[in-house]
Amino acid sequence: ADYSIIRRRVKVSVSVDEDYLENIEYFDINNPDRGWKVLCRSPFGGACERNIPYRGNTQIILKAVDRAGNSDVKELNVV
């Protein structure tokens, strides 16, 4: 996963190589009331990109979930 800051948004880019991926969700530590939000749903075509609100330095947790319910987590420290 990669990110770039564009004004008041964080552009999150994730490369996808899982054939049975259901979705990718994100959680912003600075905004816990919003809970987990969907970043992308399948099918992906090898990439997932989305702009999310940026409110200063934060930690964004990405969670990829496949159709069987397995998941993997990656943390992005956005500064």
Side-chain angles (χ1 to χ4, degrees), residues 66-79:
D66 69 11
R67 292 180 189 158
N70 302 311
S71 63
D72 192 19
V73 174
K74 171 136 177 116
E75 297 178 11
L76 295 177
N77 291 312
V78 180
V79 292

Side-chain angles (χ1 to χ4, degrees), residues 45-60:
C48 171
E49 283 189 354
R50 183 160 179 193
N51 292 324
I52 58 177
Y54 176 65
R55 295 181 180 88
N57 295 350
T58 189
Q59 183 178 23
I60 295 174

Side-chain angles (χ1 to χ4, degrees), residues 16-78:
V16 178
D17 61 359
E18 169 65 45
D19 292 333
Y20 300 103
L21 196 62
E22 185 70 25
N23 64 32
I24 298 175
E25 302 172 337
Y26 72 93
F27 183 84
D28 185 350
I29 297 294
N30 278 356
N31 203 355
D33 295 339
R34 294 189 63 196
W36 287 95
K37 304 296 276 184
V38 174
L39 187 72
C40 296
R41 293 193 191 281
S42 65
F44 295 101
C48 171
E49 283 189 354
R50 183 160 179 193
N51 292 324
I52 58 177
Y54 176 65
R55 295 181 180 88
N57 295 350
T58 189
Q59 183 178 23
I60 295 174
I61 302 170
L62 300 173
K63 179 171 64 172
V65 181
D66 69 11
R67 292 180 189 158
N70 302 311
S71 63
D72 192 19
V73 174
K74 171 136 177 116
E75 297 178 11
L76 295 177
N77 291 312
V78 180

